[in-house]
Amino acid sequence: MLSLAILAILVSLGLASIGDRSLDYNYCLAECVQISCANDPTRRDTTPWSLRVFLWTCGDDCKYSCMHQVTSEDVKAGRTIRQFYGKWPFVRFLGVQEPASVIFSMLNLASHLYGFSDLHQKLPKDYSQLWIVRLCPLAATNAWVWSIVFHTRDTPVTEKLDYYSGTLLVGYMLVLQFVRITGPSARLWHLFYSVIILLLYTVHIGYLSLVHFDYGYNMAANVVAGGICTGVWTIWCFKNFRERHYVWKCFVSVVCTSLFILLELLDFPPLLWTFDAHSLWHMSTILLPLLWYRFLLDDALFGRAKTRKSI
């Protein structure tokens, strides 16, 4: 029930956009397009190279300029800061729309790559679940690369790729969890479960792409899948803590990942027009991959030692 309540709040916050419907903003926008773009908002020859490289059009630049003009007037008059097109006003940097989220996404990506590099060097080559572990950096890299792209330039295409890659990472984590908990002897079940998750993911993406891009449905699906993943790992950690003392690393990484998303509830205008709740969420997860990959390594080494003892 808590997850559903959080979901409802996040959806309502994410879709609010009073600013772009206001008269002062639309008057400014119409005037800017007429004067700066010669009534052609799609032209790019009037924008600097730093904007053109990220496919900013003259109309896009007008939206940005008018957003900050209206916001500046609101601040001077002591009025409430408004959202525009579902987002708070950010100060861009060299064409990058949300610099803080981009930097923190890059650091998350670097954390995954570093953590896996260490894991790859120390992981036993005869580890029975080596194949599924090696897919982890691929799924994570895909998700964080598209997060970087999306926060650099928010378009309908980059938005969908960011959402789809994030859902793919959640699906992978469900498969990794099932493979790890059921063990190497259940390979047929691994295949069966993986096919089910892949089919569910395909149907999910197909619906969003071909039928209706529903933000609420997409978020609900990810909340449910993420909640299942966190719940199962938590139970497994408590059941195995006495024998496997290292499982605290798994517990901390998965629980903190779920808890830190609550930062999204702190919906506020960006501090210094740069740091919003979403960017702080990305910042909070930077070190968690290091703990997660260390858990995977410790688990692999423990499993191999236990197997050798039984021989």
Side-chain angles (χ1 to χ4, degrees):
M1 294 301 293
L2 177 60
S3 297
L4 293 177
I6 292 172
L7 171 64
I9 295 171
L10 289 177
V11 170
S12 64
L13 291 175
L15 298 180
S17 52
I18 299 173
D20 57 276
R21 294 196 297 268
S22 63
L23 290 176
D24 50 352
Y25 170 79
N26 280 281
Y27 178 81
C28 173
L29 182 60
E31 185 177 42
C32 180
V33 169
Q34 182 180 18
I35 297 174
S36 300
C37 309
N39 286 320
D40 182 8
T42 62
R43 64 187 300 180
R44 291 193 173 92
D45 58 313
T46 59
T47 58
W49 69 267
S50 60
L51 299 184
R52 290 199 299 270
V53 72
F54 293 118
L55 305 181
W56 285 77
T57 64
C58 182
D60 294 331
D61 194 33
C62 281
K63 290 179 180 178
Y64 175 83
S65 299
C66 288
M67 174 182 69
H68 279 286
Q69 179 177 319
V70 169
T71 299
S72 178
E73 292 171 355
D74 286 342
V75 171
K76 289 178 182 178
R79 292 190 292 263
T80 302
I81 305 301
R82 290 174 269 183
Q83 289 189 336
F84 297 81
Y85 304 101
K87 286 180 174 260
W88 293 110
F90 290 90
V91 172
R92 69 189 176 198
F93 178 73
L94 296 177
V96 175
Q97 280 184 269
E98 300 175 37
S101 287
V102 170
I103 292 172
F104 295 147
S105 293
M106 287 179 173
L107 290 175
N108 272 279
L109 174 59
S111 183
H112 271 280
L113 294 178
Y114 178 82
F116 180 75
S117 175
D118 183 59
L119 173 68
H120 180 70
Q121 294 175 14
K122 301 174 183 177
L123 196 66
K125 303 307 177 187
D126 59 347
Y127 181 46
S128 60
Q129 297 172 343
L130 186 64
W131 68 275
I132 189 67
V133 172
R134 280 181 169 171
L135 289 176
C136 193
L138 296 179
T141 297
N142 179 61
W144 285 111
V145 163
W146 286 116
S147 175
I148 293 168
V149 172
F150 170 60
H151 292 301
T152 297
R153 185 74 173 93
D154 180 357
T155 69
V157 173
T158 59
E159 178 184 51
K160 288 180 174 62
L161 289 171
D162 177 47
Y163 287 1
Y164 294 170
S165 61
T167 303
L168 182 62
L169 178 59
V170 173
Y172 162 77
M173 293 301 291
L174 287 171
V175 174
L176 170 63
Q177 179 183 77
F178 184 80
V179 170
R180 170 59 197 87
I181 292 177
T182 55
S185 61
R187 291 183 179 178
L188 188 59
W189 285 106
H190 297 167
L191 178 61
F192 179 69
Y193 185 78
S194 299
V195 169
I196 290 178
I197 295 297
L198 181 59
L199 286 175
L200 289 174
Y201 176 75
T202 303
V203 171
H204 176 74
I205 299 305
Y207 173 76
L208 293 175
S209 302
L210 304 176
V211 181
H212 175 53
F213 193 80
D214 188 327
Y215 291 91
Y217 158 72
N218 180 65
M219 191 174 291
N222 281 278
V223 166
V224 170
I228 291 173
C229 194
T230 300
V232 172
W233 273 127
T234 299
I235 294 171
W236 182 84
C237 288
F238 274 99
K239 288 181 65 176
N240 289 274
F241 178 74
R242 290 185 178 181
E243 183 183 16
R244 306 167 186 263
H245 297 298
Y246 59 84
V247 298
W248 68 268
K249 299 172 185 176
C250 172
F251 176 76
V252 171
S253 61
V254 297
V255 171
C256 284
T257 298
S258 296
L259 289 178
F260 288 159
I261 199 173
L262 295 178
L263 285 169
E264 291 276 35
L265 292 177
L266 303 176
D267 195 45
F268 52 83
L271 302 174
L272 304 177
W273 308 113
T274 302
F275 302 96
D276 69 332
H278 187 77
S279 68
L280 295 180
W281 170 41
H282 284 334
M283 181 185 69
S284 68
T285 61
I286 291 172
L287 297 179
L288 296 181
L290 302 178
L291 204 58
W292 173 252
Y293 286 109
R294 188 64 209 184
F295 156 70
L296 292 178
L297 177 61
D298 291 345
D299 193 51
L301 295 175
F302 180 89
R304 186 177 68 163
K306 189 174 181 180
T307 301
R308 288 182 173 179
K309 279 185 179 181
S310 62
I311 297 176

